Amino acid sequence: MPPGGGGRSVLAGAFELLAAVERTGGAGLTRLAAESGLPKATAHRLLEQLVGLGAVERDVDGYRIGSRMFQLGNGWQPHPRLLAAAAEPARRLAAVTGAAVGVAVLRCDRTLVLDWTPGEAMAFPALRNRSAWPWYTAAGKVLAAAPEYRFPPSVVPASWPREGRAIRERGVAVDRGVLTPGVCCVAAPLYDVSGAPVAALFAATGPAHRPERLADVVRRTSTAISAGLGGGHLRPAT
């Protein structure tokens, strides 16, 4: 039965609450009820159930995401072989270039870092597993450039169609200083057997490195990883 007057199921209400907890970084009952659009009594009942499941934790300031969500989230990847296929090529790329190398996906217009390998020549404090970055990082842009990706109308910039075409033609995307001043990131897509980009391989390096030189080795490494996913011979239509 619906959790309140909005006609939503109990499961939908619970997910609205989890989303509200994530958006706020943790908050009290009154704010979470308002954020989720649920009656306060319903929000309280669902939050307490989520606490019992470990999905939410209660502290003196209210409710925050629980450890169970971390465990479940760490088990997710967009392709069942993605992280295994990327591990050794990413390690070699980091060793050869000194760059920090990672694998990321684009979901809900956020760049989500699934895994990364530190580089000897690159200290990158903004990089950690399961980070959530803006979509306009190099890894996010190279995935957003795929013809099948659809932005919400409020997100896509007017210049994007031209930039997206240029990224598809080059096969890589670059950002400079988006996350950390002086850091340049180069990213290339990783394809599955259908030819769809399932993730992006990115390398982050300092201002002493030329991104044009890094782009070629990132492209070659992404091709090797794609081959492990069954998509090494495929390329998206431009």
Side-chain angles (χ1 to χ4, degrees):
M1 61 183 294
R8 284 174 292 186
S9 69
V10 172
L11 185 60
F15 270 89
E16 288 287 353
L17 278 171
L18 287 170
V21 174
E22 191 275 332
R23 282 196 306 272
T24 61
L29 173 61
T30 299
R31 183 177 177 188
L32 292 175
E35 287 273 345
S36 62
L38 293 171
K40 193 172 181 178
T42 299
H44 181 262
R45 174 170 55 81
L46 290 176
L47 283 166
E48 289 302 310
Q49 291 175 356
L50 291 168
V51 168
L53 294 170
V56 170
E57 295 177 356
R58 189 192 316 107
D59 60 22
V60 294
D61 296 320
Y63 299 88
R64 62 185 181 186
I65 291 293
S67 60
R68 183 62 177 156
M69 298 305 294
F70 174 81
Q71 294 165 358
L72 292 171
N74 275 337
W76 178 83
Q77 55 181 327
H79 186 287
R81 297 196 306 274
L82 173 63
L83 296 183
E88 182 58 22
R91 186 198 65 76
R92 290 197 301 266
L93 179 59
V96 168
T97 63
V101 177
V103 175
V105 296
L106 187 62
R107 291 292 187 277
C108 301
D109 302 307
R110 300 286 286 175
T111 307
L112 307 179
V113 178
L114 301 184
D115 197 14
W116 72 288
T117 302
E120 292 183 2
M122 185 63 216
F124 195 5
L127 186 59
R128 64 183 187 277
N129 290 12
R130 308 293 161 171
S131 294
W133 297 341
W135 75 268
Y136 47 84
T137 62
K141 289 195 295 185
V142 83
L143 295 172
E148 60 267 33
Y149 190 79
R150 295 291 180 268
F151 282 101
S154 61
V155 173
V156 60
S159 61
W160 177 248
R162 176 171 48 82
E163 184 178 0
R165 282 194 299 271
I167 289 171
R168 289 195 297 274
E169 291 169 1
R170 294 194 305 266
V172 295
V174 177
D175 76 58
R176 293 176 176 83
V178 169
L179 297 172
T180 302
V183 170
C184 172
C185 287
V186 178
L190 303 173
Y191 300 102
D192 67 8
V193 70
S194 72
V198 295
L201 176 75
F202 68 88
T205 187
H209 289 74
R210 293 178 58 185
E212 296 80 9
R213 293 182 177 178
L214 188 60
D216 186 52
V217 68
V218 170
R219 272 192 298 260
R220 292 199 305 269
T221 304
S222 71
T223 298
I225 295 171
S226 295
L229 302 178
H233 63 293
L234 297 168
R235 292 292 181 271
T238 58

